Amino acid sequence: MAPVGSKRGVLERLDAGEVVIGDGGFVFALEKRGYVKAGPWTPEAAAEHPEAVRQLHREFLRAGSNVMQTFTFYASDDKLENRGNKLTFTGQQINEAACDLAREVANEGDALVAGGVSQTPSYLSCKSEDEVKKIFKKQLDVFIKKNVDFLIAEYFEHVEEAEWAVQVLKATGKPVAATLCIGPEGDMHGVSPGECAVRLVKAGADIVGVNCHFDPMTCVKTVAMMKAGVEKAGLKAHYMTQPLAYHTPDCSCQGFIDLPEFPFALEPRILTRWEMQHYAREAYKAGIRYIGGCCGFEPYHIRAVAEELATERGILPEASEKHGMWGSGLEMHTKPWVRARARRDYWELMQQKEATTAEQLRPLFQKSDAKH
């Protein structure tokens, strides 16, 4: 176990050109497991059921995550109390418990702890800049007390509120990442991704990007637009993406919350592990080096990201001990037609939009017959 503060920071890693792999969507994963209530999506499980949160952190660490993000999504007091959501824990108790759990698991591997704040009901209710910033400051006090490694302002629909959050977080002197839940059309006021990124960098963000609301390839496209805007402005930043694990080609600018399946019938839209490998490769090619996930991402999705970028990272995740690359473990299956699937070209065929033809499959089975 490495002592706190002995690990290289997130900016040191990114400055060196390394890939930093984030974790996945805790509120959705824990809702499925029975620890989070859909609707408020608040993280009281960090205090109520710490064993569940700890285990999910460990699964993402084992899958290859370099960052344990504190389970503090929507943990501001105004959100915790929103629309009659009665809790037996205070925001401070939830935030402190989340920090302790993230640190405990991060110290079990080469992972950093990121304290996160997100959009507030107070901003949407047109409260003043000072009032909104006080809410961020209250959460931030816990993150400083617990000495997180860096800070993330995530899940902001309006760049103005994200700027306010970044300004508060930047005052700590810790590295700051900022992600908006936007697509190529920009924020809810129509501010373009490129302009949003420029504003966030000028506010003090070291890392900019997007999270949630859209599928991986839409998010990669959006971050590429952000990168182009920052470079055109003569500024510098690192880039990150933490998308949904769902296909969202039919979403409006509001993202997946507008889908009729949201939130309880999204499973048919889930990306496969092979599609996640494609996402990881495309994100890397776009110059994105902080690559993670949000709602719908499970540990096996993050493992797919880590496996795709294993050459660049120089390491496979521990969870790959139970997963042969491109299905190679199927070579041990008792059925020959399943053994025939133990190869990359088979699973790449399964990803194509049109139906796989008999002509495409024939050489795969011929290879299997020859081998077995």
Side-chain angles (χ1 to χ4, degrees):
M1 181 184 297
V4 176
S6 67
K7 299 172 185 174
R8 291 177 306 118
V10 65
L11 295 183
E12 292 176 272
R13 300 180 190 209
L14 293 172
D15 286 343
E18 297 177 23
V19 175
V20 173
I21 295 182
D23 53 16
F26 269 59
V27 288
F28 263 50
L30 289 168
E31 191 278 332
K32 290 185 177 73
R33 290 159 170 77
Y35 297 102
V36 164
K37 184 185 292 184
W41 302 110
T42 48
E44 57 270 22
E48 282 184 338
H49 299 285
E51 74 287 353
V53 177
R54 182 185 295 110
Q55 176 62 24
L56 191 55
H57 276 307
R58 282 185 175 143
E59 290 177 18
F60 279 115
L61 181 72
R62 179 177 166 81
S65 293
N66 298 126
V67 176
M68 299 291 104
Q69 192 166 333
T70 59
F71 187 39
T72 53
F73 177 77
Y74 273 168
S76 61
D77 286 337
D78 63 335
K79 180 61 182 179
L80 291 169
E81 299 163 2
N82 196 30
R83 289 182 168 82
N85 189 33
K86 302 298 183 184
L87 302 176
T88 56
F89 295 93
T90 66
Q92 181 174 344
Q93 288 174 313
I94 293 169
N95 283 300
E96 288 187 354
C99 288
D100 290 342
L101 291 167
R103 179 62 71 191
E104 176 186 350
V105 178
N107 283 351
E108 295 172 4
D110 184 31
L112 302 169
V113 174
V117 301
S118 47
Q119 69 179 10
T120 64
S122 291
Y123 178 83
L124 298 177
S125 300
C126 300
K127 296 287 181 67
S128 70
E129 178 178 347
D130 284 345
E131 289 175 296
V132 173
K133 284 185 171 180
K134 283 179 182 177
I135 293 168
F136 297 138
K137 180 64 166 60
K138 191 170 183 180
Q139 278 188 270
L140 186 60
D141 289 341
V142 175
F143 297 146
I144 298 306
K145 174 184 175 182
K146 295 295 183 177
N147 194 28
V148 300
D149 297 305
F150 69 103
L151 300 160
I152 301 179
E154 70 162 1
Y155 197 80
F156 286 87
E157 296 174 298
H158 301 88
V159 68
E160 181 182 56
E161 186 184 14
E163 288 177 286
W164 295 352
V166 169
Q167 289 163 3
V168 173
L169 300 184
K170 191 65 176 179
T172 66
K174 290 182 179 291
V176 175
T179 55
L180 304 171
C181 48
I182 65 171
E185 294 180 49
D187 82 346
M188 290 298 102
H189 284 130
V191 181
S192 72
E195 179 60 24
C196 285
V198 168
R199 288 172 60 172
L200 292 173
V201 172
K202 287 182 176 179
D206 303 291
I207 308 164
V208 296
V210 296
N211 78 296
C212 206
H213 275 206
F214 295 94
D215 61 65
M217 295 316 300
T218 299
C219 288
V220 169
K221 177 181 177 181
T222 305
V223 177
M225 295 169 71
M226 299 176 91
K227 184 173 184 286
V230 170
E231 291 174 351
K232 184 178 179 181
L235 301 172
K236 291 185 178 180
H238 293 291
Y239 301 93
M240 69 184 289
T241 178
Q242 300 210 110
L244 299 175
Y246 306 110
H247 291 285
T248 62
D250 46 342
C251 279
S252 68
C253 65
Q254 188 79 19
F256 80 141
I257 60 176
D258 278 351
L259 294 174
E261 305 101 307
F262 176 87
F264 300 125
L266 289 163
E267 282 81 359
R269 292 176 176 265
I270 291 179
L271 276 74
T272 67
R273 64 193 69 194
W274 315 120
E275 290 170 320
M276 287 302 180
Q277 291 201 203
H278 177 67
Y279 150 60
R281 180 54 54 194
E282 292 303 307
Y284 187 86
K285 284 163 57 177
I288 301 167
R289 293 295 179 267
Y290 189 133
I291 303 171
C294 200
C295 298
F297 265 74
E298 293 282 346
Y300 76 95
H301 289 127
I302 290 297
R303 179 178 63 186
V305 171
E307 288 182 344
E308 176 62 30
L309 298 173
T311 299
E312 288 78 5
R313 298 176 73 223
I315 189 172
L316 277 169
E318 186 179 358
S320 292
E321 295 175 2
K322 298 295 184 181
H323 184 247
M325 292 291 284
W326 289 98
S328 62
L330 296 179
E331 292 176 352
M332 294 183 282
H333 201 276
T334 56
K335 306 298 183 184
W337 58 90
V338 177
R339 291 198 296 273
R341 300 170 189 164
R343 49 180 47 90
R344 178 172 184 160
D345 47 1
Y346 176 88
W347 293 110
E348 287 180 334
L349 282 176
M350 292 300 101
Q351 293 181 72
Q352 66 183 35
K353 301 288 186 205
E354 63 276 7
T356 306
T357 66
E359 289 73 20
Q360 289 174 312
L361 289 174
R362 188 174 296 115
L364 299 181
F365 286 100
Q366 288 172 346
K367 287 180 186 178
S368 180
D369 291 342
K371 186 171 183 179
H372 300 287

